[in-house]
Amino acid sequence: MKSWRFTGTNEPLQLAELPEPTAGPGQVVVDVKAAGICHTDVGILTDPGWMTMLAQVPVTLGHEDAGVISQVGEGVDDFQVGDRVAICPTTPAGCPGSSFDGGFGPKIVVGTQALVRIPDEVDFVNGAAATDAGMTSYAAVVRRGGVKAGDRVGIIGLGGLGQIGARVAHLLGAEVHVAEIKEDIWPLAKELGAVDARRSITDYPKGFFDVIVDFAGFGDTTADAVDVIRLGGVVVLVGMGRLETTIDTKSLIVNQCDLRGSNGGTPDDIRGVYELMRTGKLTPVTTTVSFDEVPEAIERLERGDVVGRLVISYE
């Protein structure tokens, strides 16, 4: 089978021919139907800091995966061939695309503890987007941010994660405001339930927000959030646009800012996203590409030339 392989920082993806995997004890083979392309993939390709987070190199990238089980291994009795499943990237089974080969290839072998059933009402493209973009956004807003009805919430970045985070916060009953540098997607903020959108979180008054979730993570975006959060407010950092930032410690201390990192989530967070998708309350914007378009699609993502979540569709 042909797969897009990462071989080293600042090296282009290599299209390699690999043997099809087989399921070992406690494992299944998933035929990939959709796989998300993430800013993490851009980071892996361009930033050497990511090398320490990869368990193997070369590796087939792709950590947002959904598909159909085509083979079950010995001892597997809770899943069967034909089941529609997604792969949670944060379980002890490891993360596809870093711990083992991921969805930039047509088949994945994985332990059953990582599997989440996809409801019939959810298609594979959204099923894939929910595994990282959905799970990560949901966990950041609900669990790490503790957003509740009546909170005033700032969402920084309206990309694949930010749009889901904004919608989830709105569905929780929060008053949502968006900071997004690309003005052409401001109308999307209103569609998601946000009150308004501005270019920077600093365009809102100081002390305005109870919770700010930074889905961009470009360094200055986080520093700005710490500067403007209300006394005792929460700033949640999710995005990894840059791997370093400088925080004004005066603002951190004087604002008594609770600055929290948020990384991924759990299978239950994915199930929470699927429930919102199943009922039609959450319909993320996605841009689909074919398997052959993967290198070009990653370049588009790096340029910021993508609306919503970028997903490879194998169908």
Side-chain angles (χ1 to χ4, degrees):
M1 65 181 191
K2 292 183 178 180
S3 301
W4 290 106
R5 305 277 278 174
F6 168 77
T7 59
T9 309
N10 294 318
E11 296 293 332
L13 286 178
Q14 299 294 319
L15 187 60
E17 194 81 31
L18 301 177
E20 292 191 2
T22 57
Q27 295 180 323
V28 302
V29 173
V30 176
D31 288 359
V32 182
K33 299 300 182 183
I37 302 177
C38 177
H39 278 285
T40 293
D41 300 311
V42 175
I44 289 171
L45 284 162
T46 60
D47 188 336
W50 285 93
M51 288 292 287
T52 60
M53 294 180 249
L54 303 179
Q56 65 177 68
V57 176
V59 66
T60 303
L61 296 183
H63 58 276
E64 295 186 328
D65 307 308
V68 175
I69 294 176
S70 61
Q71 183 186 133
V72 298
E74 181 184 351
V76 175
D77 52 17
D78 47 349
F79 290 92
Q80 60 187 1
V81 171
D83 284 351
R84 304 170 76 247
V85 296
I87 299 172
C88 178
T90 58
T91 70
C95 178
S98 57
S99 303
F100 52 90
D101 288 338
F104 289 9
K107 292 178 181 289
I108 298 172
V109 60
V110 63
T112 57
Q113 66 266 48
L115 299 180
V116 179
R117 298 183 188 276
I118 303 174
D120 291 340
E121 298 88 347
V122 178
D123 63 29
F124 287 114
V125 169
N126 281 318
T131 61
D132 183 18
M135 171 190 72
T136 301
S137 304
Y138 187 94
V141 170
V142 176
R143 288 198 297 105
R144 298 295 288 157
V147 171
K148 60 187 183 302
D151 282 347
R152 188 174 283 159
V153 176
I155 299 292
I156 301 178
L158 205 62
L161 276 74
Q163 60 156 306
I164 297 174
R167 182 61 178 168
V168 169
H170 170 71
L171 292 173
L172 289 171
E175 177 186 310
V176 180
H177 302 260
V178 169
E180 168 57 57
I181 196 169
K182 293 190 290 185
E183 296 183 17
D184 59 325
I185 63 174
W186 285 5
L188 174 60
K190 291 289 188 71
E191 294 174 18
L192 296 169
V195 175
D196 64 357
R198 305 182 188 183
R199 287 182 59 85
S200 169
I201 205 71
T202 60
D203 291 333
Y204 294 95
K206 285 194 174 185
F208 189 70
F209 293 109
D210 301 296
V211 181
I212 298 173
V213 186
D214 183 2
F215 287 105
F218 279 95
D220 56 348
T221 55
T222 312
D224 289 344
V226 171
D227 283 342
V228 304
I229 195 70
R230 70 158 173 82
L231 181 67
V234 174
V235 173
V236 181
L237 174 56
V238 182
M240 300 177 77
R242 297 288 183 272
L243 296 183
E244 294 181 349
T245 187
T246 300
I247 299 295
D248 185 334
T249 53
K250 178 184 176 182
S251 293
L252 186 71
I253 295 166
V254 171
N255 291 343
Q256 298 185 44
C257 172
D258 189 345
L259 176 59
R260 306 172 181 177
S262 187
N263 178 29
T266 68
D268 281 342
D269 292 320
I270 296 176
R271 294 183 187 101
V273 174
Y274 282 157
E275 180 59 22
L276 294 178
M277 289 179 169
R278 186 189 68 78
T279 58
K281 295 178 181 178
L282 177 64
T283 54
V285 176
T286 56
T287 297
T288 57
V289 296
S290 70
F291 175 80
D292 293 336
E293 295 174 305
V294 167
E296 178 190 353
I298 291 176
E299 291 177 3
R300 287 173 55 197
L301 185 61
E302 186 175 13
R303 294 195 304 266
D305 187 25
V306 175
V307 176
R309 199 58 170 175
L310 187 59
V311 182
I312 307 163
S313 176
Y314 282 84
E315 296 189 299

